[in-house]
Structure formats: structure tokens, C-alpha cells
Amino acid sequence: MAKVDVNLTDKNYTVLIENGLLARIGELVAAHWQPRQIALITDTNVGPLYSAKVISKLSEQNFQVHEYVVPAGESSKSWEVASELASKMAADHFTRTDAVIALGGGVMGDLAGFLASTYMRGIDFIQIPTSLLAQVDSSVGGKTAIDLGEAKNIIGTFYQPDAVFIDPETLDTLSDRYVAEGYGEIVKTAALDSVDFWNLIETIDSIADIRGHATELSQRSIGYKAKIVMEDEKEAGNRALLNFGHTMGHAIELLAHGDLAHGEAVSIGMTHIMQVFEEHGIADAGITATIKERFAAVGLPTDSDLLFTDAFYEKILNDKKNRNGTLNLVYVKTFGEPAIYGIPSTSVKDFFNNKD
Ligand SMILES: NC(=O)c1ccc[n+]([C@@H]2O[C@H](COP(=O)([O-])OP(=O)(O)OC[C@H]3O[C@@H](n4cnc5c(N)ncnc54)[C@H](O)[C@@H]3O)[C@@H](O)[C@H]2O)c1
């Protein structure tokens, strides 16, 4: 069992990580909430696997659970799905004293969090993340979102949950591809965090190793994210470090039209942004090869033909993180020493191409 405390100005909550935790989810939720109606928001993959257990444990504690199942996948992060869910909750007479639980991956967390933060101006919310990405990253930090077509996460709120309950045993049913994808964010976090965390990454040589170390990897990743979020909840400063690998990654993810998963795009993005900074002599010599080797060890891609094309630069310049004509790029000088490097948008192409 592991615990991470998140202490923010207006809210404190705990992330609990424990194998088999779902068996006592009823009592864990009852420690936070009086009996009430709960909207259990899940998707068509996760619902059939875990809803019955969660509903039965919550019912034992006198919660009245309404399960709302939406199609699995990013397309459920939409106005249409959010609006359908809000209509169902209204029809089921949800009031301000009722609550929402997200059961699923990052898509369920973002969607259910958005709904919880806007339904009747905000009702209580708990996260039960079941994908590795959600367990190591997206369930903590309070960002909620829906997409507008290709514009990802363009509508959203900052809304912290009352608790995050992680059962690493749920990863047993997650595909290897999604495990690798979540691991992309773990490698990112380890590089930002410390030599110590990076040394753990050096011992991970397969998907089985990731699964075997899931509790420790979640605890360390969430611990780092919590520290950053506690310093900068609304991303006015250091929280931007978490975008390491995401500027290039996001551009190629969009250009791949679904062929690259988010974590795969981040793996490619991190490798290449580090290559640029290493070749400029800003990051330590040899660090890119070390990072690349760790991604390759679990089968994550580190290259793409979509990089450095005209369409790639167009996407980079349109990135929502491109502020006032400056593109802020995150790199690590060495493990545990991250920094943000701002360059004028007009110089991006030269910076990426002319590395000497
Ligand atoms: N809010 C944040 O801070 C934040 C941070 C990073 C990413 N995100 C968002 O997270 C989303 C990606 O998250 P994701 O990769 O978890 O996607 P996801 O929620 O689509 O889950 C991936 C797939 O795994 C399935 N799944 C989840 N848990 C499972 C389990 N235990 N067993 C079997 N199948 C399971 C899902 O049904 C889905 O098909 C994106 O929308 C991204 O924008 C949010």
C-alpha cells in the first residue's frame, strides 16, 4: 500500500495505491461521503470488467449507484456525450449533494471530472483510474477536459477530486500497448524528477517489468506530479515542466490521425527534443541515447517520418502552449534538472534544424 498526499490551497486529498483495493472501495468512499446518489461513469471496456464489483461494494454502504456507460475512446470526450450524461443525471434527480465517480482511463477521468465540475456548479468527485496512464498521471492534478473535434482538451476546468483510489491489479486486463503508453509518461516523469527515479527506470526492460513495478512507479510518478501541482496548481509556472516531450509529441499525434497513441507520440517527442538540446550543447552529451534505449526496451517508438515536415511546424506554431509569440520548450540538462527554454516562434525551424 502506498499513499500520496496532495495539499492545495482550497483542498487536500489523498491518492491511495493498493493491490486489491477495489474489494474495499465501498468503505473507502464511505469514509468521504454520506450515503447519496452516485453517477458511476465508465466506458464499454472497463464497465463490464469492474462495474459490478464497484456497484456491489458501494451499495453495501447504502450508496445509490447509477451506472452510465459511454463508448470507449477519445471520442467520448465531447460536448455531445457530456450533455447526454448531464441529461441522464438530471432525469435521475441528481442534486448538488450527490456525486460522480470516474471508473476507467484518462478519458473517463477527464470527462467525468468535467461533468462533476459543471453539473449544478460542481458536485463531489472521486477518481478510480484503471489505465496505467491514468494511474500514474491524469487522475491527479485536477485538469478536466473535453475536445472540440481535433482541438484536444480545449474546453475544461481545474477541479480536484475528493480522493483517488488506485488498484494496480486492474492493469491485469489492460493491453500491453496501453501499458507501454502509460509508461511513456513515467519515463518523462523520472527524467524530470531525479537520478534516483531514473535508476529505477534503468531496471525496467520489458512490459512485464512495468507490470511488476506498477505500485512503485505509480507512487513515484504521482508523488512528483503532486509536488509540481502543489507549487503551481493552475500552470502559471513550473507545472509546464510536465509538458516535456509534448510539444513535438502533440504535433505528430495529430498528424498521425489515430495511428500513434499519446504515450507513443510523447516517447518520440521526448527523444527528439532532447536530441535538439543535446546537439545545441545545452543538455549533457549522451543523454538522448540513454533515454531512447529505455523507450526501446519496452517497444515504444522513438522515430517518425512526421517530424520536421511543413505540416509538423504548422502544428507546433498553432499549439495552445505557444504564448505571445514564444514557444516554451522543456528539456532536462541531466536527470532531475529540468528547465524551460523559450524561443521566438519565428526561430523554431532554425532552432530545430541548425543545431551547431
Ligand atoms: N487530466 C490530465 O491531467 C491528463 C493528463 C494526461 C492525459 N490525459 C487524457 O487522458 C486520456 C488518455 O488516457 P488513457 O490512455 O487512459 O485513455 P483511455 O481512457 O481511452 O483508456 C485507454 C483504453 O484502455 C481501456 N482500459 C482502461 N482501463 C482498462 C483496464 N483496466 N482493463 C482493460 N481496458 C482498460 C479503455 O477502455 C480504453 O480503451 C486522453 O484523453 C488525455 O487527454 C489527461
Side-chain angles (χ1 to χ4, degrees):
M1 201 243 270
K3 252 173 75 170
V4 176
D5 291 319
V6 187
N7 300 320
L8 301 166
T9 321
D10 297 324
K11 185 149 198 176
N12 298 337
Y13 61 97
T14 297
V15 182
L16 196 61
I17 309 162
E18 182 185 309
N19 276 318
L21 164 154
L22 283 191
R24 57 188 198 97
I25 195 71
E27 55 198 83
L28 290 171
V29 172
H32 290 270
W33 296 343
Q34 295 294 319
R36 58 180 76 183
Q37 293 207 102
I38 292 176
L40 181 70
I41 299 181
T42 189
D43 73 23
T44 44
N45 292 332
V46 178
L49 293 167
Y50 300 108
S51 280
K53 185 173 205 170
V54 171
I55 293 170
S56 123
K57 296 292 167 190
L58 290 171
S59 304
E60 279 170 23
Q61 300 290 329
N62 300 318
F63 290 107
Q64 211 186 320
V65 186
H66 299 256
E67 186 195 15
Y68 302 131
V69 184
V70 303
E74 184 73 23
S75 63
S76 280
K77 271 174 62 174
S78 69
W79 277 126
E80 292 73 19
V81 173
S83 156
E84 272 170 34
L85 289 170
S87 300
K88 284 185 181 159
M89 287 170 66
D92 288 331
H93 308 291
F94 272 72
T95 67
R96 294 196 68 178
T97 53
D98 292 319
V100 171
I101 292 183
L103 175 68
V107 166
M108 288 308 98
D110 280 10
L111 171 69
F114 178 70
L115 197 63
S117 71
T118 48
Y119 187 82
M120 295 197 173
R121 300 191 180 83
I123 65 174
D124 289 345
F125 176 50
I126 280 178
Q127 295 248 29
I128 308 178
T130 61
S131 71
L132 186 62
L133 183 104
Q135 295 186 352
V136 302
D137 182 0
S138 65
S139 61
V140 167
K143 282 189 180 177
T144 85
I146 55 172
D147 307 331
L148 280 185
E150 279 216 326
K152 278 195 64 176
N153 301 328
I154 200 111
I155 310 284
T157 54
F158 284 98
Y159 197 66
Q160 304 293 342
D162 290 341
V164 179
F165 296 124
I166 297 177
D167 185 347
E169 281 180 8
T170 57
L171 300 177
D172 292 351
T173 53
L174 189 71
S175 69
D176 283 354
R177 185 178 183 191
Y178 280 115
V179 170
E181 216 209 320
Y183 184 66
E185 296 286 350
I186 297 176
V187 174
K188 174 200 84 174
T189 307
L192 293 169
D193 183 37
S194 60
V195 172
D196 191 43
F197 193 173
W198 188 263
N199 287 341
L200 171 61
I201 297 301
E202 292 281 355
T203 69
I204 307 281
D205 287 320
S206 65
I207 300 284
D209 285 346
I210 303 173
R211 292 182 186 279
H213 288 84
T215 301
E216 189 180 3
L217 292 169
S218 283
Q219 185 187 11
R220 298 195 72 141
S221 301
I222 294 273
Y224 180 78
K225 184 162 181 186
K227 188 180 83 170
I228 294 282
V229 170
M230 287 191 275
E231 287 165 10
D232 176 24
E233 185 179 353
K234 302 273 167 74
E235 200 166 320
N238 264 358
R239 187 164 178 172
L241 291 175
L242 301 173
N243 297 326
F244 184 27
H246 283 59
T247 301
M248 285 189 183
H250 193 216
I252 56 170
E253 186 181 354
L254 285 172
L255 294 172
H257 297 291
D259 286 346
L260 274 179
H262 177 73
E264 294 167 351
V266 168
S267 156
I268 297 167
M270 241 181 89
T271 306
H272 283 272
I273 200 68
M274 285 307 298
Q275 185 76 44
V276 168
F277 278 99
E278 186 178 329
E279 289 180 14
H280 275 291
I282 300 171
D284 286 0
I287 189 166
T288 312
T290 306
I291 291 173
K292 199 170 170 174
E293 189 190 292
R294 292 297 91 210
F295 285 132
V298 301
L300 278 165
T302 51
D303 247 315
S304 164
D305 291 343
L306 300 167
L307 289 162
F308 311 117
T309 59
D310 288 346
F312 166 80
Y313 285 111
E314 203 186 302
K315 292 284 184 215
I316 293 239
L317 296 178
N318 286 327
D319 193 291
K320 67 176 187 281
K321 303 216 162 63
N322 188 354
R323 285 192 188 141
N324 305 325
T326 300
L327 187 68
N328 290 315
L329 297 168
V330 182
Y331 71 98
V332 294
K333 185 180 178 309
T334 184
F335 298 117
E337 284 184 36
I340 296 175
Y341 193 95
I343 47 169
S345 306
T346 45
S347 312
V348 171
K349 214 167 178 171
D350 283 346
F351 188 74
F352 284 179
N353 282 320
N354 305 322
K355 294 152 200 148
D356 298 320

